[in-house]
Amino acid sequence: MLMELDAIDFRILELIQDDAALSVAEIADRIGLSSSPCWRRIKRLEEIGVIQKRVTLLNREELGLDFEVMASVKLALPTRENLEKFEEEIAGWPEVVDCATVTGAVDYMMRIVTSDMHAYDAFLRDKLLGIGLVSDVQSRIVIRIAKRTSAIPLDNSKLNVKK
């Protein structure tokens, strides 16, 4: 798929990763294209699945959701059926903002956002432990975020980019 992308495509991706609210005209102006070819490139990037969706990032602290936990979760019995059931359950829980299957001593690493410790305790008891699949949860309260980005690294020099 990288063979289908060129340096202009990567510049477009860098711009919209930084600000998805940019208009096509603004993007076109910044990369030196007219609006129509720029729009066609963006549409093609969407069609081939490089651009999955565009979102707005919210300030969770301003919304009163300033309690964040990193939790490692071990299932009691990590069978295919239990893994699938666990993933189906957590898909509907808005408190879980990230969840990844990992290697090692635990099955999942999760990032959970709630309003406070009491809300996290309720989440832990009623939802996470309430499904009857989890044998252990190690919770780590986030004190401060040193770095957080939604952007993926697009260093053209390391990717196979058409010139």
Side-chain angles (χ1 to χ4, degrees):
M1 177 183 51
L2 289 178
M3 296 303 292
E4 298 177 29
L5 304 181
D6 63 18
I8 294 172
D9 292 326
F10 278 99
R11 183 66 182 126
I12 290 170
L13 294 172
E14 287 172 343
L15 288 170
I16 63 176
Q17 267 197 132
D18 185 54
D19 185 358
L22 288 173
S23 70
V24 172
E26 290 171 310
I27 296 168
D29 185 55
R30 291 186 191 185
I31 62 173
L33 282 180
S34 61
S35 290
S36 292
C38 183
W39 178 83
R40 284 192 297 272
R41 283 178 176 265
I42 293 169
K43 282 299 184 201
R44 183 177 61 82
L45 291 167
E46 290 172 342
E47 288 167 4
I48 65 174
V50 172
I51 298 173
Q52 292 181 339
K53 65 180 178 177
R54 300 178 207 189
V55 299
T56 299
L57 301 177
L58 304 178
N59 183 328
R60 62 183 179 78
E61 289 89 359
E62 291 295 323
L63 295 167
L65 296 169
D66 50 0
F67 193 78
E68 184 172 337
V69 175
M70 302 300 290
S72 48
V73 177
K74 181 158 184 54
L75 298 185
L77 186 61
T79 63
R80 173 185 290 274
E81 181 180 285
N82 285 347
L83 291 166
E84 289 173 359
K85 184 173 193 271
F86 180 81
E87 291 172 15
E88 286 173 18
E89 287 286 335
I90 63 117
W93 298 343
E95 300 92 343
V96 178
V97 294
D98 283 312
C99 181
T101 305
V102 295
T103 61
V106 299
D107 299 306
Y108 294 96
M109 291 297 300
M110 303 172 74
R111 186 164 68 98
I112 300 152
V113 172
T114 65
S115 58
D116 56 30
M117 188 177 301
H118 301 292
Y120 176 70
D121 182 57
F123 166 82
L124 185 63
R125 291 170 186 265
D126 299 339
K127 290 185 176 178
L128 197 54
L129 297 175
I131 60 173
L133 297 171
V134 175
S135 68
D136 187 45
V137 178
Q138 297 291 319
S139 301
R140 286 157 180 77
I141 298 169
V142 175
I143 304 299
R144 183 174 60 86
I145 305 296
K147 178 184 179 181
R148 175 164 291 150
T149 181
S150 62
I152 59 171
L154 293 175
D155 183 354
N156 295 352
S157 65
K158 293 185 179 150
L159 299 172
N160 188 11
V161 180
K162 279 189 347 184
K163 299 291 180 196

